[in-house]
């Protein structure tokens, strides 16, 4: 597969502060890559450099094998961007905004393409409304529609579903996957919704304090978290269960009659054997293996200490 984006030793400093610290990665044709990290990790700064909005202090960015600085105009016609943190001209209608942008991208059948993209994102009813009158969720859908106008080979998506309710966000995710399937569109995707990342991303890059600290598939990163969560509804024996956990150095947290226990998967059998020995009575058991959110929280926790 063709490499559509290659980042080498990218660094951005603001005075004495290093926002992005010598990161390197690439994205292949049709690949969806998640860029994850806590607030202030350097995700948005990275995307702004990829869009040539910010100039790197050091390092190089190339799209389709061509240097971004030397081939900016050509490259910008082949990529696009969406974020909940940017705005389109408020006084223009949705249709007017999309038509103006379509002209800038040199799209031949402007009216046909705009009509198609309005239909794909189910925003035909918004086309004659001024952008400034839209709700946050409606604007998000318009920004996403804008991002697909020019049949981009790669999309940079910064929190693309942050303002959407769960049902619409799910539909947007299905659109992203369908467009990837049809056009082999690559995507770099930032989100704080770990379930969303697990659903759409082929690979995840985890960044903190400007550095890449982990890179793998969502499942691969989740598997690096060693603790499994066991949730018990205790009928009788809460104190005895907590004592068992303390003795074996298993983390536990009680909420009314619910006890959440974190322990290695291999220790689960021992837990239930000990509870049987202590004659603990419980009515419900839920066992949840580590997921991407567990990895995220464990990594952030390390750096917070």
């Amino acid at each position: 597969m063709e490499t559509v984006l290659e980042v080498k030793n990218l660094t951005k400093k603001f005075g004495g502060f290093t926002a992005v610290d010598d990161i390197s990665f690439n994205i292949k044709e049709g690949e969806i890559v998640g860029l994850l990290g806590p607030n202030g990790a350097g995700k948005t700064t990275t995307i702004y450099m990829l869009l040539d909005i910010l100039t790197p202090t050091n390092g190089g960015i190339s799209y389709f094998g061509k240097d971004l600085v030397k081939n900016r105009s050509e490259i910008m016609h082949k990529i696009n961007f969406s974020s909940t943190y940017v705005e389109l001209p408020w006084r223009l209608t949705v249709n007017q905004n999309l038509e103006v942008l379509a002209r800038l991208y040199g799209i031949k059948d402007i009216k046909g393409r705009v009509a198609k993209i309005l239909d794909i994102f189910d925003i035909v009813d918004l086309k004659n409304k001024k952008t400034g009158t839209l709700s946050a969720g409606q604007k998000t859908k318009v920004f996403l529609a804008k991002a697909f106008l020019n049949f981009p080979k790669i999309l940079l998506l910064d929190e693309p579903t942050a303002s959407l309710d769960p049902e619409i966000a799910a539909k947007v995710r299905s659109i992203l996957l369908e467009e990837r399937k049809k056009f082999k569109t690559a995507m770099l995707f930032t989100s704080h919704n770990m379930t969303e990342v697990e659903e759409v991303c082929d690979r995840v890059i985890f960044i903190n304090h400007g550095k890449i600290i982990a890179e793998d598939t969502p499942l691969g990163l989740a598997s690096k978290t060693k603790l499994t969560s066991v949730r018990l509804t205790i009928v009788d024996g809460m104190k005895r269960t907590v004592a068992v956990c303390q003795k074996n150095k298993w983390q536990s947290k009680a909420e009314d009659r619910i006890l959440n226990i974190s322990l290695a998967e291999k220790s689960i059998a021992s837990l239930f054997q000990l509870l049987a020995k202590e004659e603990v009575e419980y009515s419900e058991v839920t066992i949840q293996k580590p997921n991407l959110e567990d990895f995220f929280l464990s990594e952030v926790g390390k750096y917070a200490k």
Side-chain angles (χ1 to χ4, degrees), residues 38-51:
N39 291 331
K43 305 185 297 299
T44 299
T45 300
T46 298
I47 287 181
Y48 282 177
M49 285 191 285
L50 297 180
L51 288 167

Side-chain angles (χ1 to χ4, degrees), residues 212-242:
I212 293 176
I213 60 172
E215 183 176 352
D216 205 337
T217 64
L219 183 61
L221 289 181
S223 68
K224 297 179 188 296
T225 304
K226 304 303 182 183
L227 297 180
T228 296
S229 176
V230 177
R231 180 184 174 94
L232 297 172
T233 301
I234 306 293
V235 177
D236 180 60
M238 176 65 81
K239 291 183 178 180
R240 296 194 298 276
T241 305
V242 171

Side-chain angles (χ1 to χ4, degrees), residues 23-50:
I23 67 173
S24 300
F25 64 90
N26 62 66
I27 301 177
K28 304 290 186 182
E29 181 183 53
E31 187 179 24
I32 301 179
V33 176
L35 183 63
L36 299 189
N39 291 331
K43 305 185 297 299
T44 299
T45 300
T46 298
I47 287 181
Y48 282 177
M49 285 191 285
L50 297 180

